[in-house]
Amino acid sequence: MIRAGLDRVLASDLFRGAPQLSAFLTFIVDRALDGRSAELKGYTVAVEAFGRPPDFDPQSDPIVRVEAGRLRKALGQYYLGEGAADPVRIAIPVGAYVPAFEVDERAVLEAEPATAAAGDAAAQKGAPRRPDATVSRRWLLGAGLALLLGLASLASWYRIRDDEPPVPGARSLQPSVPVERAVKPTASTAAAHLPVMAIVIGELPPDPMANEIARRFVALLADAIAGFDDLVTVKAPLDPRATTVDADYVFELSATRFGDVIESAARLRAVKDGRIVWTGSSNRKFRFNAEDPELPEIARRLAIRLAEPFGVIHADFRQSSIMSPAMRCIFQALDFRLTMKAEDHLAARTCLEGVLEKDPNFHAAWSQLALLTLDEYTAGLNLQSGPPLDRALSAAMNAVRLAPSSARAQQAMMDVLFARGQPDEALAAGREALTRNPYDPDIMADLGARFVQLNRSAEGLPLLERAVSLSRGRPPWYDFYAFLGARLTGANKHAESHAARLLANEGPLSLLGRALHYAGAGDQAGFAAAVSGLAEASPLFRVDPRLFLERRGFSPPVIERIMSDLGPTILDLIKRP
């Protein structure tokens, strides 16, 4: 079936006129179907598919990356046109060269009656037939082909880790929704669930240039907020004379000019009850040039303040009676990042699974479910049956399929790939996420943390510091990785500025940071209390501190540094009753 799908792609008008793309696609699909996906690296593709010499250097010659981008675009165009009805779809995920295959189960099941008729004819000719052949055939075609081709392709795409030892003290649960299922690419239904914010331009000075500045500011603000497409929908600009607004929140902006100074006022109002959720004002001297370089930074900082995962809109919307059940689950997942408690993890995951049971096309729920599923592996929280890394990958793939332009979907893919031991592909996905929303502190911090874990703190610290400066309601793990990154670079005084935020939190990373802080300060009582708390919060740490760090993605050099800084008494402390 997959080879037939490949043949249809190659026979299309789009690919007939692109022999290099056709050769590239044929090469990677053949390798994947032959079980040789591990060979699909940039060097191999360049030498064997494109005929580059054996001394080919993928760092200096980007041909494979360029052609992979062209191939992704061509496949997207094909499935939007000639291949819209194809029962098999071939995709090349960002950051990899191993194809993923998606089978339309309906097309498979439609072929079943013909298969059954052929079986009946064979039986009439004396061929042996089992009594339960109809049930077996249905299972094989409906479940076997769709699941095995869909998930086996994911398994061959990324290294399967089905030999994961169970985390001590973890409880295994049966999943209430099979997250392994792949969804058919379609439009995401996010707009049906997200809060809507409208931007209204109120009173403006009569000066034409001041008006232009205000309107450009609104456009910049709307563009920046639009990047948070898994959390809010923005409408701008609306007619300020409108008496009714189809939105949950209205951002109202007015400005007055006094000489070369513009005095502006803004407020965020809840439409349902008229509450003023946030207000701000500014007196700034402008150059009265619509291209003023300060304007974009002001708009972006305000957008972050309002729309980031732990920002003003979402802090208020969490308490709102108008919040949709789906968004309540999204916020539960975000709130878990603040507490890192097992009961909060279970509640958020159960909630998201219920949402996806009703609406499998809500991409934001798939992104958050991928992250929560990862916690089964990294933290041993509420284990379900089946390898969590495979289930997390399936959820992330669904998010990317439904919303290819979503920064959060790419962020989820980054974290999944990183946990699967593929740092290069993970960083590529993280950079893609940051490109799609360069204003999201959560993506900045997440990508920065991956660099720190890889012992590349010089690259990660600037991202972490900016995320910390932009997010007032941030989770403590932002500060933990900033603290650790500063320590790894020898900036101990700078590290201590982040340690204070870890003192009031009882999450595993905060406790680890406190243990490192107290060990460096020579505070034995504080050190012992932090280690004891960490051993209680994480059974895996009590059993094997190194495995605890490895599961969370720390590279060997960083693990060695952490263990050295904790000191030789750590093992004695965690073994105390």
Side-chain angles (χ1 to χ4, degrees):
M1 178 175 279
I2 291 176
R3 292 193 185 279
L6 172 63
D7 291 341
R8 284 190 294 273
V9 173
L10 298 178
S12 68
D13 292 338
L14 184 64
F15 278 82
R16 280 203 309 268
Q20 183 152 299
L21 289 184
S22 297
F24 186 8
L25 181 61
T26 301
F27 177 78
I28 61 177
V29 169
D30 285 346
R31 286 294 172 98
L33 294 181
D34 290 344
R36 301 168 63 187
S37 298
E39 300 174 9
L40 291 175
K41 304 296 183 182
Y43 175 85
T44 306
V45 173
V47 173
E48 299 189 26
F50 297 151
R52 287 297 193 267
D55 61 353
F56 171 77
D57 180 8
Q59 299 302 319
S60 60
D61 186 344
I63 182 173
V64 181
R65 294 193 300 274
V66 171
E67 291 301 304
R70 290 183 60 222
L71 181 56
R72 292 186 189 100
K73 183 177 180 179
L75 285 170
Q77 292 174 342
Y78 169 74
Y79 289 119
L80 286 174
E82 289 182 70
D86 271 17
V88 175
R89 291 180 179 239
I90 305 170
I92 315 299
V94 174
Y97 305 123
V98 180
F101 308 110
E102 181 183 334
V103 178
D104 187 342
E105 294 182 33
R106 291 174 300 178
V108 175
L109 293 176
E110 285 170 1
E112 183 177 339
T115 306
D120 291 340
Q124 292 173 2
K125 294 181 179 179
R129 180 176 179 182
R130 293 176 54 185
D132 60 347
T134 301
V135 175
S136 298
R137 182 169 55 253
R138 181 176 294 111
W139 179 88
L140 176 61
L141 289 174
L145 190 55
L147 183 60
L148 291 178
L149 288 180
L151 292 181
S153 66
L154 294 178
S156 63
W157 175 21
Y158 298 117
R159 177 168 52 91
I160 292 288
R161 297 176 67 167
D162 55 3
D163 57 346
E164 303 157 3
V167 177
R171 186 164 57 98
S172 179
L173 303 173
Q174 291 298 319
S176 60
V177 58
V179 302
E180 294 89 344
R181 70 178 183 269
V183 297
K184 185 178 178 62
T186 183
S188 172
T189 55
H193 306 292
L194 303 181
V196 177
M197 188 189 88
I199 300 178
V200 171
I201 302 176
E203 181 181 351
L204 292 176
D207 185 283
M209 182 54 69
N211 271 265
E212 179 61 25
I213 290 172
R215 295 185 184 282
R216 180 168 182 254
F217 178 82
V218 167
L220 291 167
L221 179 64
D223 286 347
I225 291 176
F228 298 91
D229 63 351
D230 62 318
L231 297 173
V232 66
T233 298
V234 62
K235 295 181 177 180
L238 295 180
D239 183 352
R241 298 166 296 180
T243 56
T244 60
V245 177
D246 183 18
D248 300 301
Y249 295 93
V250 173
F251 179 85
E252 299 166 321
L253 175 68
S254 61
T256 305
R257 179 179 176 180
F258 297 96
D260 60 353
V261 173
I262 288 185
E263 184 177 279
S264 59
R267 66 179 186 176
L268 185 70
R269 175 171 56 86
V271 172
K272 182 179 181 182
D273 54 15
R275 286 180 302 105
I276 304 302
V277 177
W278 174 89
T279 62
S281 61
S282 174
N283 292 307
R284 300 187 67 89
K285 185 175 181 178
F286 281 96
R287 298 180 179 88
F288 287 91
N289 180 341
E291 300 303 318
D292 188 331
E294 292 184 3
L295 209 59
E297 182 62 20
I298 297 170
R300 290 161 188 166
R301 282 187 171 272
L302 179 57
I304 294 167
R305 182 82 177 91
L306 295 175
E308 64 124 331
F310 305 96
V312 171
I313 291 176
H314 307 118
D316 182 77
F317 201 61
R318 283 176 172 88
Q319 314 301 323
S320 173
S321 61
I322 63 173
M323 179 166 55
S324 70
M327 286 309 297
R328 194 172 301 280
C329 297
I330 296 296
F331 289 134
Q332 276 189 268
L334 292 171
D335 288 344
F336 161 70
R337 300 293 162 198
L338 296 169
T339 68
M340 298 303 291
K341 293 181 179 179
E343 58 269 30
D344 294 336
H345 173 271
L346 179 59
R349 189 183 65 191
T350 302
C351 191
L352 287 171
E353 289 173 344
V355 167
L356 291 169
E357 190 75 33
K358 297 177 181 178
D359 182 4
N361 292 326
F362 185 25
H363 80 272
W366 283 115
S367 295
Q368 294 298 331
L369 184 60
L371 297 173
L372 291 174
T373 305
L374 274 185
D375 293 309
E376 296 179 38
Y377 175 76
T378 60
L381 295 177
N382 305 303
L383 284 171
Q384 292 180 320
S385 60
L389 293 183
D390 295 343
R391 290 186 283 110
L393 178 60
S394 177
M397 283 290 294
N398 283 339
V400 172
R401 287 190 185 103
L402 289 167
S405 63
S406 169
R408 193 78 59 213
Q410 293 293 336
Q411 180 188 10
M413 185 62 75
M414 170 182 67
D415 286 354
V416 171
L417 295 177
F418 196 85
R420 296 180 71 88
Q422 295 183 266
D424 292 341
E425 292 87 344
L427 294 179
R431 291 188 182 100
E432 184 69 21
L434 198 57
T435 297
R436 296 181 184 193
N437 188 358
Y439 317 122
D440 190 333
D442 202 61
I443 295 174
M444 295 177 204
D446 204 355
L447 180 57
R450 303 301 150 241
F451 280 117
V452 170
Q453 289 182 302
L454 293 171
N455 204 25
R456 295 164 61 178
S457 296
E459 297 169 82
L461 267 177
L463 290 168
L464 286 159
E465 293 292 355
R466 180 158 174 78
V468 165
S469 71
L470 291 172
S471 180
R472 299 184 184 181
R474 64 188 179 274
W477 65 262
Y478 288 23
D479 291 271
F480 167 79
Y481 282 106
F483 164 81
L484 179 60
R487 285 178 65 95
L488 292 173
T489 58
N492 292 332
K493 289 187 177 180
H494 186 59
E496 298 312 308
S497 66
H498 295 285
R501 190 171 175 86
L502 306 177
L503 299 180
N505 184 267
E506 298 300 317
L509 290 180
S510 294
L511 289 165
L512 176 59
R514 281 153 60 180
L516 290 167
H517 166 70
Y518 289 130
D523 184 341
Q524 291 301 314
F527 175 71
V531 170
S532 176
L534 180 54
E536 182 176 350
S538 176
L540 182 57
F541 181 81
R542 181 186 296 275
V543 173
D544 188 340
R546 289 179 181 274
L547 182 58
F548 165 85
L549 295 170
E550 180 185 328
R551 280 290 182 92
R552 289 179 178 269
F554 294 95
S555 63
V558 176
I559 292 175
E560 291 304 320
R561 173 64 185 273
I562 291 174
M563 294 301 297
S564 174
D565 287 355
L566 290 175
T569 62
I570 184 71
L571 297 179
D572 294 332
L573 285 173
I574 62 177
K575 291 179 181 177
R576 291 179 183 177

